[in-house]
């Protein structure tokens, strides 16, 4: 097998994936000696000789009035003849400027078909080293990049991106990304990329509900299954920034990294700072192929337990809110088990004096009045029903009205001589502190061990305010990095001690969804909004980058607790079946007919669960939630299609649903009636779903299953 990193000469390299080639080189100014690592090519796969020719192509002519080509640099610095957004900005004393020299390159075989290229550079005067790292793998088109800086002197870093990527010339540029707010996360937006700088960011200390750290760029003509796409994603769960630069004379770059403007990381001699990975992907198969490539990358190289089938879950929050009792939880568990639920999770209200949201975050012991004998007997009772057990926690939250805050007020993020603003009547614990991390690992380990828990729903319900650490002045701004790393560390240590433990990431809904947190958690909660019609939009945006196996999706009561919208149980189930199915309604109030229908729908989900969670996903037809739409999954010999028609009297096309991703020569048997159809027929002519009949009630849906024969 040819290795992915191909040296073209002493200063150029071609990095190859199964479907793309990424050519980079180091350009050295003959007059100043300054080194500028640049991207020469990123697109369809080239052979070594073709890649070598790319390095010989003449560069475009620049008049003396033109701005330089820093958009093509791998890490444009603040210094010299550059006026764009810097990816690296450092101050040495009162001098804020970097001039780099090329030192050496290193290629490392990392095993399993992965190779890594390091480009080592150093400042022309100060003992300051920059290492640009690129990793390519034989089994994915995703390219990983990150940056390391090391210093032998005091250095104040005000910007350190993981890398800058150049999107080749096109007649036009269009961007795709998601925006949102609480209860309406992951709203897909596409539009012309304006000339100038466009910034997507979070300054909240968490990934945030309002944006997500990825972007895709195309030439404006790409469709779901056709056309070129260049995608970038940052694997980080704290504050972040993606800056696109569209130059008037042509060319687009995207620089991405952690932190946000105005934050300074002071490095002392001997210290280094390593960025999280920024990931790049090229495909010529449209947005659908881009999503499937991201999904496969997540399964192969991000998720800790990608091969497992996620269980059907019941969460008790909406049934009880804070009024949890052992008897009520066991009654809910008995009903949940009877309809096929496999994992029972008790939510908020079980600890301290947690009678409402004003108190007790930090006091992680059973509520002394509600559970005077502890929680073990209740969870044993749940296990006796044949279900595994889980519990809601919020380790980063801190209530002023708590025993922990009274004992350790210094553990909260705060600034000297500044107030401590509460949001959601709570503060944030400083996970940059080693003593806080040790405390967190201690009680979490004890809780999981004592209760023999299988699952934790890890919530984080508020962004940072007054993010400081007065006792450690040099750590004031580093908190924005070290808190997130501290959360990762606690999760990693907990999983190491409990290999069977599974963790769900929640952040007031979808406030911490990214490829960084997914390295330590098994699934994420995309939104607190469980309204099935709204969820279709949220899940559509989520699926652009993240796989269905990581998406927790619940069926809750009607009218919906958030929107008050009413819709059938079947429709609510079919929307939630598009990910990891969960139940969150008050089962004590469901009718016998609803429970019987739920049991049947859960059984149907289990029949297609492996296909939904591990299969190739295809977004078919229409706008989710607004008109007829469908989502298809293919895994092994099974094809599962979830079909939706929220508008009963809708007459808009398409009238037939054409499938995709099938073997045209093979036959597929429709499980419902045993009829057999060639893949070519299903893809060219399609099927006529019953839910798409032009006249009928609102919110019709169905699950269509084929088997390749």
């Amino acid at each position: 097998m040819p290795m992915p990193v191909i040296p073209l000469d002493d200063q150029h390299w071609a990095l190859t994936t199964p479907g793309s080639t990424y050519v980079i080189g180091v350009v050295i100014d003959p007059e100043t000696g300054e080194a500028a690592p640049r991207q020469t090519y990123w697109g369809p796969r080239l052979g070594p000789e073709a890649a070598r020719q790319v390095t010989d192509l003449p560069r475009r002519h620049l008049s003396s009035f033109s701005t330089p080509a820093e958009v093509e640099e791998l890490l444009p610095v603040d210094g010299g003849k550059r006026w764009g957004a810097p990816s690296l900005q450092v101050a040495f004393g009162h001098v804020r400027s970097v001039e780099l020299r090329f030192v050496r390159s290193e290629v490392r075989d990392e095993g399993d078909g992965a190779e890594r290229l390091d480009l080592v550079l150093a400042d022309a005067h100060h003992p300051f080293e920059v290492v640009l790292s690129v990793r390519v793998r034989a089994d994915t088109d995703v390219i990983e990049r990150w940056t390391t800086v090391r210093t032998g002197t005091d250095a104040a870093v005000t910007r350190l991106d993981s890398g800058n990527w150049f999107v080749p010339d096109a007649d036009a540029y269009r961007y795709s990304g998601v925006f949102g707010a609480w209860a309406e996360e992951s709203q897909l937006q596409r539009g012309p990329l304006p000339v100038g700088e466009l910034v997507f960011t979070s300054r909240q200390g968490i990934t945030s509900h309002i944006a997500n750290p990825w972007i895709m760029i195309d030439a404006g003509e790409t469709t779901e299954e056709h056309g070129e796409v260049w995608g970038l994603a940052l694997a980080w769960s704290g504050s972040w920034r993606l800056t696109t630069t569209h130059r008037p004379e042509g060319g687009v770059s995207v620089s991405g990294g952690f932190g946000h403007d105005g934050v300074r990381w002071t490095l002392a001699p001997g210290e280094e700072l390593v960025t999280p990975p920024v990931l790049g992907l090229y495909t010529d198969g449209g947005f659908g192929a881009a999503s499937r490539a991201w999904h496969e990358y997540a399964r192969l190289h991000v998720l800790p337990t990608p091969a497992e089938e996620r269980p059907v879950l019941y969460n008790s929050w909406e049934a009880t809110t804070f009024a949890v009792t052992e008897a009520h939880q066991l009654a809910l568990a008995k009903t949940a088990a009877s309809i096929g639920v496999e994992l029972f999770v008790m939510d908020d209200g079980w600890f301290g004096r947690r009678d409402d949201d004003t108190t007790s975050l930090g006091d992680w012991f059973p509520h002394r009045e509600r559970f005077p004998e502890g929680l073990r007997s209740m969870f044993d009772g749940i296990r006796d029903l044949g279900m595994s057990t889980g519990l809601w926690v919020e380790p980063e939250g801190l209530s002023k009205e708590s025993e922990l805050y009274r004992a350790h007020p210094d553990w909260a993020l705060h600034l000297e001589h500044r107030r401590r603003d509460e949001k959601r009547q709570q503060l944030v614990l400083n996970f940059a502190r080693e003593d806080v991390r040790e405390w967190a690992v201690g009680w979490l380990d004890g809780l999981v061990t004592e209760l023999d828990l299988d699952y934790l729903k890890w919530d984080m319900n508020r962004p940072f305010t007054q993010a400081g650490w007065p006792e450690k002045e040099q750590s004031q701004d580093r908190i924005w990095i070290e808190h997130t790393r501290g959360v990762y560390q606690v999760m990693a240590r907990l999983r190491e001690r409990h290999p069977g433990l599974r963790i769900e990431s929640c952040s007031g809904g979808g406030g911490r969804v990214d490829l960084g947190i997914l390295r330590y958690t098994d699934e994420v909660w995309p939104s607190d909004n469980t309204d099935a019609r709204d969820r279709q939009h949220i899940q559509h945006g989520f699926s652009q980058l993240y796989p269905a196996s990581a998406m927790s999706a619940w069926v809750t009561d009607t009218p919906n607790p958030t929107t008050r919208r009413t819709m059938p149980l079947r429709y609510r189930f079919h929307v939630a079946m598009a990910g990891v199915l969960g139940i969150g309604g008050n089962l004590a109030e469901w009718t016998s007919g609803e429970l019987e229908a739920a049991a049947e729908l859960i059984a149907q989900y289990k029949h297609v669960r492996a296909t939904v969670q591990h299969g190739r996903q295809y977004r078919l037809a229409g706008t989710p939630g607004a008109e007829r739409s469908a989502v298809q999954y293919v895994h092994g010999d099974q094809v599962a299609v979830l079909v939706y028609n929220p508008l009963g009297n809708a007459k808009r096309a398409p009238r037939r649903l054409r499938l995709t991703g099938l073997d045209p020569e093979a036959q597929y048997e429709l499980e419902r009636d045993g009829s057999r159809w060639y893949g070519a027929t299903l893809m060219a002519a399609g099927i006529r779903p019953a839910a798409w009949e032009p006249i009928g009630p609102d919110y019709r849906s169905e699950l269509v299953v084929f088997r390749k024969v």
Side-chain angles (χ1 to χ4, degrees), residues 184-454:
E184 51 181 332
E185 298 89 339
S186 296
Q187 305 298 302
L188 181 64
Q189 60 176 341
R190 288 198 171 112
L193 186 65
V195 172
E197 295 176 11
L198 178 65
V199 178
F200 299 88
T201 188
S202 166
R203 301 181 180 89
Q204 299 186 358
I206 55 176
T207 322
S208 88
H209 300 80
I210 60 177
N212 203 260
W214 65 264
I215 188 172
M216 297 186 197
I217 296 177
D218 72 290
E221 299 175 347
T222 296
T223 64
E224 185 67 18
E225 298 298 333
H226 302 283
E228 293 184 304
V229 179
W230 288 264
L232 288 310
L234 185 68
W236 181 245
S237 310
S239 291
W240 56 272
R241 187 186 77 173
L242 291 176
T243 303
T244 68
T245 302
H246 182 183
R247 295 289 286 273
E249 63 270 28
V252 165
S253 69
V254 182
S255 186
F258 59 3
H260 58 266
D261 296 334
V263 174
R264 179 177 61 184
W265 309 305
T266 301
L267 301 181
E271 283 193 298
E272 73 173 22
L273 185 59
V274 183
T275 72
V278 63
L279 313 169
L281 167 71
Y282 165 80
T283 181
D284 61 1
F287 296 115
S291 296
R292 288 186 288 277
W294 286 116
H295 299 169
E296 186 67 6
Y297 171 78
R299 286 191 284 259
L300 290 172
H301 302 295
V302 179
L303 290 166
T305 56
E308 292 183 1
E309 292 183 19
R310 306 259 70 83
V312 176
L313 167 153
Y314 178 77
N315 183 287
S316 64
W317 170 250
E318 292 188 6
T320 62
T321 62
F322 295 104
V324 294
T325 64
E326 181 170 335
H328 194 185
Q329 296 294 301
L330 286 173
L332 288 168
K334 184 177 181 180
T335 304
S338 73
I339 61 174
V341 168
E342 299 157 314
L343 166 64
F344 186 94
V345 179
M346 182 167 68
D347 211 279
D348 202 349
W350 61 268
F351 55 93
R353 298 190 61 83
R354 186 72 163 175
D355 300 320
D356 53 40
D357 63 1
T358 66
T359 181
S360 297
L361 287 175
D363 298 342
W364 299 107
F365 48 82
H367 195 294
R368 291 170 176 137
E369 295 178 5
R370 294 180 186 156
F371 299 99
E373 304 301 322
L375 300 174
R376 180 71 196 217
S377 64
M378 183 191 71
F379 282 118
D380 284 343
I382 293 169
R383 280 185 283 269
D384 289 343
L385 293 168
M387 293 185 291
S388 53
T389 56
L391 195 59
W392 177 95
V393 292
E394 190 175 354
E396 299 156 80
L398 179 63
S399 300
K400 283 187 176 179
E401 187 56 44
S402 67
E403 294 181 18
L404 182 67
Y405 184 76
R406 286 188 284 273
H408 297 286
D410 54 316
W411 282 11
L413 293 179
H414 67 285
L415 295 169
E416 193 173 13
H417 307 307
R418 291 293 181 263
R419 66 178 181 268
R420 301 188 182 195
D421 286 338
E422 293 180 82
K423 186 172 178 61
R424 300 188 79 256
Q425 305 184 79
Q426 65 186 82
L427 301 171
V428 177
L429 279 167
N430 180 0
F431 267 59
R433 296 179 60 125
E434 183 178 2
D435 50 2
V436 170
R437 295 195 300 273
E438 290 300 322
W439 165 84
V441 171
W443 72 261
L444 284 164
D445 176 42
L447 194 69
V448 173
T449 300
E450 178 186 351
L451 302 178
D452 196 19
L453 295 174
D454 303 289

Side-chain angles (χ1 to χ4, degrees), residues 139-150:
D139 60 359
T140 177
D141 285 320
V142 173
I143 300 169
E144 304 167 349
R145 287 186 51 196
W146 67 96
T147 300
T148 304
V149 295
R150 305 184 181 103

Side-chain angles (χ1 to χ4, degrees), residues 27-48:
V27 177
I28 300 177
D29 189 308
E31 296 181 2
T32 66
E34 184 175 16
R38 288 181 180 171
Q39 176 186 316
T40 304
Y41 174 84
W42 185 23
R45 180 166 176 153
L46 302 176

Side-chain angles (χ1 to χ4, degrees), residues 127-192:
F128 188 83
E129 186 176 81
V130 179
V131 183
L132 307 181
S133 300
V134 189
R135 180 186 290 125
V136 282
R137 304 176 186 271
D139 60 359
T140 177
D141 285 320
V142 173
I143 300 169
E144 304 167 349
R145 287 186 51 196
W146 67 96
T147 300
T148 304
V149 295
R150 305 184 181 103
T151 184
T153 186
D154 290 332
V157 180
T158 50
R159 187 73 229 159
L160 177 58
D161 280 356
S162 304
N164 185 61
W165 301 75
F166 181 68
V167 177
D169 291 346
D171 292 335
Y173 296 97
R174 178 175 60 174
Y175 75 92
S176 300
V178 291
F179 70 97
W182 177 80
E184 51 181 332
E185 298 89 339
S186 296
Q187 305 298 302
L188 181 64
Q189 60 176 341
R190 288 198 171 112

